[in-house]
């Protein structure tokens, strides 16, 4: 609260006090958001420079070796070309992810929302994620509660929802050994107000310290076993932005060494 006051005098005598009380919560909130935004931008630029530096250095190193003839034998040349191609694809994907995340966070990303049946959305998700599951060699189960979903409709961008589920599936595959199991279940809550998508794996799980941060941009686990897994830490941040844009919620439960469960709630069109 801001308080201002002054004395009103007449013939050198105080005859009144004039003042006001003003609620400056909105001003303070705007200032805090500006400071937080600046901090987030500085942090993001720091992460970007760090993440881009490694693949760029590797590409430059191999390209220089090819140019000056340091690598001349056929096997070495082939390895260099494959590495340059691999790291270039990583850079390309990182740039795409950064662009999409930036557009999502600044509300400049466009969605192609459709009014559609909830069971149809479930089958689209199944169709787009099954190839990754099949190629992984990991046992999986895919359950769609057709009788529950069939009477319900939703407004959603099916391509973006499928992108979210693909991100989650790829993560589960990375952290799950072939002998373990991945399960996806799509149904609705008992009040028929939300579609519920639950993805459960029996992978290595997420530590209690890492759990609050996994939807943050560029977050990477400090756990040695998790840190071995490649990734830029953008997939989950993008997924959260997409679900938020649908008016939904994404949450996670995990126990290290036991597995992880991601849950998504999407509002049904009433």
């Amino acid at each position: 609260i801001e308080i201002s006051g002054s004395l009103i005098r007449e013939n050198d005598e105080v005859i009144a006090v004039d003042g006001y009380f003003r609620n400056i919560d909105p001003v303070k909130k705007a200032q805090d958001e500006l400071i937080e935004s600046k901090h987030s931008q500085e942090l993001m630029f720091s992460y970007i420079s760090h993440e881009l530096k490694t693949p760029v250095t590797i590409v430059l190193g191999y390209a220089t070796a090819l140019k000056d003839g340091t690598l001349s034998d056929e096997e070495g040349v082939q390895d260099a070309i494959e590495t340059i191609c691999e790291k270039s694809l990583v850079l390309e994907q990182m740039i795409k992810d950064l662009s999409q995340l930036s557009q999502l966070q600044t509300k400049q990303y466009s969605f192609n929302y459709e009014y559609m049946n909830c069971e149809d959305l479930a089958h689209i998700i199944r169709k787009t994620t099954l190839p990754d599951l099949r190629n992984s060699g990991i046992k999986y189960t895919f359950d769609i509660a057709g009788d529950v979903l069939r009477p319900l409709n939703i407004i959603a961008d099916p391509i973006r929802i499928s992108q979210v589920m693909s991100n989650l599936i790829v993560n589960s595959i990375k952290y799950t050994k072939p002998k373990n199991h991945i399960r996806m279940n799509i149904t609705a809550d008992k009040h028929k107000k939300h579609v519920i998508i639950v993805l459960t794996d029996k992978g290595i799980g997420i530590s209690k310290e890492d759990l609050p941060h996994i939807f943050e941009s560029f977050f990477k686990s400090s756990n040695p076993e998790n840190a071995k897994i490649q990734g830029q830490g953008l997939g989950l941040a993008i997924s959260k932005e997409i679900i938020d844009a649908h008016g939904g919620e994404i949450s996670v439960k995990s126990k290290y060494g036991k597995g992880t469960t991601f849950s998504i709630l999407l509002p049904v069109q009433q």
Side-chain angles (χ1 to χ4, degrees):
I1 292 177
E2 180 182 75
I3 304 171
S4 176
S6 61
L7 301 177
I8 299 176
R9 299 175 182 273
E10 187 175 285
N11 298 324
D12 293 330
E13 291 186 8
V14 176
I15 61 170
V17 176
D18 178 40
Y20 63 84
F21 295 82
R22 185 164 68 102
N23 180 3
I24 58 169
D25 275 351
V27 176
K28 288 295 295 178
K29 185 179 179 182
Q31 289 175 344
D32 292 343
E33 287 176 352
L34 194 61
I35 293 169
E36 181 65 26
S37 175
K38 185 178 179 181
H39 175 69
S40 298
Q41 286 180 352
E42 290 172 351
L43 191 61
M44 179 170 282
F45 286 134
S46 172
Y47 278 131
I48 290 171
S49 61
H50 177 268
E51 292 296 325
L52 292 177
K53 184 177 181 180
T54 301
V56 167
T57 302
I58 292 171
V59 168
L60 185 59
Y62 275 106
T64 303
L66 289 172
K67 182 181 178 182
D68 62 20
T70 305
L71 289 174
S72 55
D73 62 288
E74 186 176 344
E75 185 178 351
V77 169
Q78 189 60 37
D79 287 344
I81 292 172
E82 288 179 4
T83 302
I84 288 172
C85 289
E86 178 190 335
K87 296 303 178 183
S88 296
L89 289 172
V90 169
L91 285 168
E92 182 185 38
Q93 187 60 51
M94 194 186 303
I95 291 167
K96 286 180 180 178
D97 287 346
L98 284 168
S99 175
Q100 185 177 11
L101 183 60
S102 175
Q103 290 175 0
L104 284 164
Q105 290 180 337
T106 56
K107 313 302 180 190
Q108 295 177 359
Y109 193 82
S110 60
F111 289 85
N112 295 317
Y113 291 108
E114 299 179 22
Y115 181 78
M116 62 190 305
N117 181 261
C118 291
E119 186 183 19
D120 291 343
L121 177 62
H123 284 292
I124 289 172
I125 293 171
R126 184 178 187 274
K127 182 179 178 181
T128 54
T129 55
L130 270 182
D132 286 325
L133 287 168
R134 286 172 177 159
N135 294 333
S136 69
I138 298 171
K139 294 179 182 178
Y140 64 88
T141 305
F142 210 116
D143 295 322
I144 295 175
D147 291 343
V148 176
L149 296 171
R150 200 167 297 126
L152 307 177
N153 295 305
I154 191 170
I155 294 176
D157 183 335
I159 293 176
R160 294 302 153 220
I161 296 299
S162 294
Q163 177 187 350
V164 170
M165 298 316 302
S166 291
N167 282 341
L168 297 182
I169 286 286
V170 168
N171 270 357
S172 288
I173 291 170
K174 283 180 182 178
Y175 294 96
T176 303
K177 295 177 181 178
K179 65 179 181 179
N180 290 322
H181 198 103
I182 294 175
R183 177 186 295 275
M184 187 184 294
N185 180 270
I186 306 179
T187 184
D189 62 12
K190 63 180 181 179
H191 300 295
K192 306 295 190 295
K193 290 188 176 181
H194 293 90
V195 172
I196 303 175
I197 308 172
V198 179
L199 178 66
T200 302
D201 66 54
K202 298 297 181 182
I204 60 177
I206 304 167
S207 67
K208 184 170 63 175
E209 293 76 20
D210 290 344
L211 207 55
H213 306 289
I214 64 165
F215 293 111
E216 296 174 5
S217 303
F218 296 104
F219 175 74
K220 286 187 178 181
S221 174
S222 57
N223 185 283
E225 193 169 357
N226 287 349
K228 290 186 291 185
I229 309 296
Q230 289 186 347
Q232 282 73 51
L234 292 172
L236 290 178
I238 290 172
S239 297
K240 186 178 186 308
E241 292 289 342
I242 290 173
I243 297 302
D244 287 348
H246 282 75
E249 297 177 17
I250 182 169
S251 59
V252 60
K253 293 181 180 178
S254 186
K255 190 170 183 181
Y256 191 72
K258 299 292 185 180
T260 302
T261 297
F262 282 94
S263 299
I264 293 175
L265 298 181
L266 295 172
V268 169
Q269 182 67 16
Q270 300 298 319

